[in-house]
Amino acid sequence: MNNLDLIVVGGGITGAGILREAVRNGFRTLLIEQKDFAWGTSSRSSKLVHGGLRYLKEGHFGLTRESVKERERLIREAPGLVEPLEFRLPVYERRKPGRWTMGLGLALYDLISWKWNHRYMPRNEFLQNVPQVDPRGLVGGFSFSDAQVDDARLVMRLIKDAEMNGGKALNYTRVNKLLRNSSGKIEGVVTEDVETGEIKPFHAPCVINATGVWAENLHPSPEKNKHIRPLRGSHLIFPWELIPITTTVSFFNAQDGRALFAIPWEGSVLVGTTDIDHGNSLTDEPRITQGEAEYLINSLNHTFPGLKLSLNQAVSSFAGVRPVVSEGNVSADKESRDHVIWKDKGLVTVTGGKLTTFRVLAYDTLKACLDMLPHCNLDAISEPVFESRRSITLSHTVSETVLRSLWGRYGKETLTLLNESDEQDLETIPGTRTLWAEIKYAAKYEKIRHLDDLLLRRVRIGLLLSKGGKDYVGRIRSLCENVLPWDNERWELELKTYFMLWDSCYSPDAFQNFSR
Ligand SMILES: Cc1cc2nc3c(=O)[nH]c(=O)nc-3n(C[C@H](O)[C@H](O)[C@H](O)COP(=O)(O)OP(=O)(O)OC[C@H]3O[C@@H](n4cnc5c(N)ncnc54)[C@H](O)[C@@H]3O)c2cc1C
């Protein structure tokens, strides 16, 4: 990998978006990720592609406008991966925010999006839509829409698109040091393969630090009063049968008034999120705390009292840490979700922001690099986010719904995925929307180093199935045996490590398993 124009450090959505846009604009680019692609915050979001209705309350109109523009574009240009999502928002008498405040907020949201899509529903109609909500004091509710994405798959799709067009991406490779010449100008990075320990330098005139919440480890903030404030958000996942909602339900916590969501996702229901100072070391994988789990359960039972939900009915949990750039002195949920760019002699740091606005972050960052790059045109800015679906000849028949979602996740690689699959592997894994065939494809073609890469990020069955998918280990192993170079001993080790990780970071009561 010689003659690089650009090195991107960090394989989350920010780094992946930059890699893909840099390659499209003709720059020779290498991305370096210390763990697995999307291992950081970008596999742990609420999976919404949204304007952020609540940001309006804080007066962040610019961010909302930018986000809804991106939402509309992604819905149009990434079908099957980014899909519209319907929301319902109940209104209760003598509870804040009331009908008029909510109506005003939603009208503003629609005006900013240039898309009138909210509507007030009287009580009976609302209850027909969401019969699970508490009917006591309910006066009606609103419907509106945003969109949903599989966050880790979006990262992979961007990385693979970039690689197909000449970009390069390494996982499990950490940047340990920046290389600078005698006048401090960036010349490259020194990396370490975190498993073999191999040390290797890579040279380029420009390095982008897209390491999210870790950004200040590589380059401290140049602004005395502006620093990264790591804010943790946790989610619980429930089987859909226990919360049988057909649209997302937004509701408010009775004590602090924060907005929460119960979101149908991949055949389950995702409930979140919290927003609190992380406090723990950023080296450890984050996990839900007992306080957060109780907060989510109590909020759910307040909204859906008839369901009588308890933590032991949840399938899994996960936690992520937001890279929020803070000037201090405000509560967590009032912090701006905008991104910042810091430039220092060939090193460009980008952090903050949202998954939704990854393209905006990518272009703002590349613009900041132009004086160090071989040409200054960013021509591809108006190109569609992803190539649209072509008609393909398949050796198996699959439904339009399956084909749409496969194309969204894998693009033109869908052809390889389907043509290399046995007929029986085109069934979905019970309780999910994932095909067995996706496991084999990901294991063969998507740079899997460990079992958690496969089950938690390439496919999401580690989050969607009870006990992290323990009941299906036999079939998973037989699908992968001919495509992963693991002997019996390695399989035993991978399984043991994966289930230990799952117990301590992804089980619904991960906090208990950690403290034992
Ligand atoms: C609970 C929660 C819910 C959210 N929900 C939404 C949502 O619904 N919609 C939305 O738009 N946004 C959402 N967000 C925000 C969004 O997830 C983040 O803004 C985004 O994922 C940040 O991406 P990133 O690439 O900057 O960081 P990350 O995804 O964390 O990527 C940074 C990467 O850098 C790597 N790295 C660090 N140091 C090094 C090094 N020295 N060498 C090599 N690699 C390194 C890390 O391993 C990591 O993978 C949410 C965030 C949280 C926490």
Side-chain angles (χ1 to χ4, degrees):
M1 272 169 264
N2 295 322
N3 298 323
L4 292 169
D5 296 320
L6 199 55
I7 293 171
V8 182
V9 191
I13 188 66
T14 308
I18 295 169
L19 172 72
R20 213 285 301 267
E21 297 306 329
V23 169
R24 286 222 288 205
N25 282 285
F27 303 120
R28 288 161 299 186
T29 312
L30 167 68
L31 178 144
I32 300 168
E33 163 57 44
Q34 66 176 352
K35 303 225 180 192
D36 184 32
F37 302 124
W39 172 85
T41 312
S42 300
S43 56
R44 303 158 189 273
S45 77
S46 303
K47 296 149 205 359
L48 298 176
V49 171
H50 64 154
L53 186 54
R54 73 181 180 80
Y55 307 143
L56 287 179
K57 207 172 97 206
E58 313 308 329
H60 300 141
F61 299 111
L63 178 63
T64 307
R65 170 80 193 121
E66 200 162 62
S67 305
V68 288
K69 256 171 77 183
E70 287 304 302
R71 176 194 71 193
E72 292 306 300
R73 187 179 182 130
L74 287 163
I75 291 174
R76 259 192 333 269
E77 296 175 1
L81 182 58
V82 179
E83 292 283 11
L85 184 68
E86 279 284 308
F87 283 68
R88 298 290 180 268
L89 182 58
V91 179
Y92 287 92
E93 60 187 13
R94 285 191 289 279
R95 271 197 221 165
K96 281 189 177 168
R99 173 177 171 181
W100 301 113
T101 313
M102 284 189 210
L104 205 66
L106 287 165
L108 194 57
Y109 197 49
D110 284 354
L111 281 174
I112 284 178
S113 328
W114 290 87
K115 188 174 172 183
W116 199 255
N117 73 10
H118 82 280
R119 186 168 76 80
Y120 183 73
M121 294 174 161
R123 184 178 193 275
N124 283 348
E125 186 188 350
F126 194 87
L127 279 174
Q128 270 165 17
N129 266 250
V130 199
Q132 301 84 2
V133 293
D134 190 356
R136 292 167 299 175
L138 183 81
V139 290
F142 286 96
S143 71
F144 66 100
S145 69
D146 259 316
Q148 182 173 50
V149 66
D150 181 331
D151 46 9
R153 285 284 356 149
L154 175 62
V155 172
M156 266 330 276
R157 175 111 197 248
L158 291 167
I159 289 178
K160 289 180 74 187
D161 255 34
E163 289 203 299
M164 276 183 236
N165 292 292
K168 298 268 180 282
L170 302 173
N171 56 354
Y172 289 96
T173 306
R174 184 172 50 231
V175 167
N176 280 346
K177 202 176 139 198
L178 299 168
L179 291 171
R180 293 181 187 266
N181 67 14
S182 53
S183 47
K185 167 90 185 62
I186 282 287
E187 292 191 320
V189 297
V190 178
T191 66
E192 178 184 354
D193 182 313
V194 295
E195 299 196 319
T196 63
E198 190 191 358
I199 303 283
K200 232 187 198 173
F202 290 100
H203 297 275
C206 180
V207 172
I208 294 175
N209 171 15
T211 54
V213 78
W214 295 269
E216 286 202 64
N217 292 351
L218 217 54
H219 188 261
S221 164
E223 300 177 67
K224 206 166 120 239
N225 299 322
K226 238 184 194 179
H227 292 282
I228 294 173
R229 177 177 179 185
L231 290 175
R232 188 178 60 247
S234 297
H235 291 84
L236 289 171
I237 296 184
F238 284 85
W240 183 81
E241 294 69 31
L242 294 183
I243 313 179
I245 47 176
T246 50
T247 61
T248 292
V249 180
S250 180
F251 50 94
F252 297 94
N253 176 277
Q255 269 73 47
D256 61 15
R258 283 188 61 252
L260 293 140
F261 302 107
I263 311 170
W265 181 61
E266 295 290 318
S268 297
V269 174
L270 187 64
V271 179
T273 175
T274 54
D275 198 2
I276 52 175
D277 284 301
H278 183 46
N280 301 339
S281 162
L282 290 174
T283 328
D284 301 332
E285 190 141 347
R287 60 180 61 78
I288 195 168
T289 59
Q290 183 164 7
E292 287 174 289
E294 282 166 6
Y295 175 90
L296 294 176
I297 290 285
N298 291 342
S299 307
L300 268 179
N301 281 329
H302 183 70
T303 307
F304 308 116
L307 301 182
K308 298 190 172 38
L309 294 160
S310 61
L311 187 58
N312 62 20
Q313 292 173 303
V315 180
S316 64
S317 72
F318 65 92
V321 187
R322 298 175 185 85
V324 168
V325 184
S326 171
E327 296 189 58
N329 294 331
V330 286
S331 66
D333 62 340
K334 290 202 168 46
E335 291 282 14
S336 164
R337 267 42 175 176
D338 249 326
H339 63 283
V340 293
I341 292 179
W342 296 320
K343 235 179 132 173
D344 170 29
K345 296 182 178 166
L347 178 70
V348 176
T349 297
V350 52
T351 189
K354 295 166 61 185
L355 195 94
T356 305
T357 47
F358 75 88
R359 249 178 31 92
V360 177
L361 262 75
Y363 273 94
D364 284 356
T365 312
L366 287 174
K367 271 187 230 151
C369 300
L370 282 182
D371 56 342
M372 296 164 274
L373 293 173
H375 64 80
C376 4
N377 308 325
L378 291 180
D379 295 333
I381 195 156
S382 53
E383 278 179 25
V385 179
F386 292 121
E387 190 189 340
S388 55
R389 200 170 111 195
R390 298 196 228 122
S391 78
I392 47 178
T393 315
L394 301 170
S395 48
H396 304 292
T397 318
V398 287
S399 71
E400 169 55 26
T401 317
V402 169
L403 194 55
R404 182 181 170 94
S405 101
L406 288 180
W407 192 278
R409 292 175 194 176
Y410 305 96
K412 59 185 174 208
E413 282 290 284
T414 301
L415 196 63
T416 312
L417 188 153
L418 288 173
N419 287 347
E420 290 190 7
S421 300
D422 296 335
E423 189 93 45
Q424 76 269 16
D425 295 335
L426 297 178
E427 283 164 22
T428 48
I429 302 170
T432 76
R433 306 217 172 119
T434 310
L435 306 185
W436 290 104
E438 291 178 72
I439 295 184
K440 184 172 165 190
Y441 171 84
K444 185 168 177 188
Y445 293 108
E446 295 196 327
K447 299 191 181 176
I448 302 301
R449 288 248 198 140
H450 295 290
L451 200 54
D452 61 304
D453 305 340
L454 181 62
L455 303 184
L456 292 170
R457 287 173 290 277
R458 300 304 181 279
V459 298
R460 317 305 297 270
I461 62 172
L463 298 173
L464 299 167
L465 297 175
S466 85
K467 297 175 275 168
K470 207 167 212 149
D471 296 345
Y472 296 106
V473 158
R475 183 148 178 197
I476 293 167
R477 189 168 163 171
S478 73
L479 278 164
C480 300
E481 233 150 19
N482 293 330
V483 293
L484 286 175
W486 297 349
D487 60 14
N488 197 36
E489 198 182 329
R490 174 75 186 269
W491 267 104
E492 292 307 317
L493 179 65
E494 287 293 335
L495 286 166
K496 189 171 160 215
T497 315
Y498 168 70
F499 286 114
M500 270 170 61
L501 172 73
W502 193 87
D503 280 344
S504 61
C505 296
Y506 294 92
S507 67
D509 58 353
F511 47 88
Q512 284 193 20
N513 303 332
F514 181 61
S515 56
R516 262 207 300 269

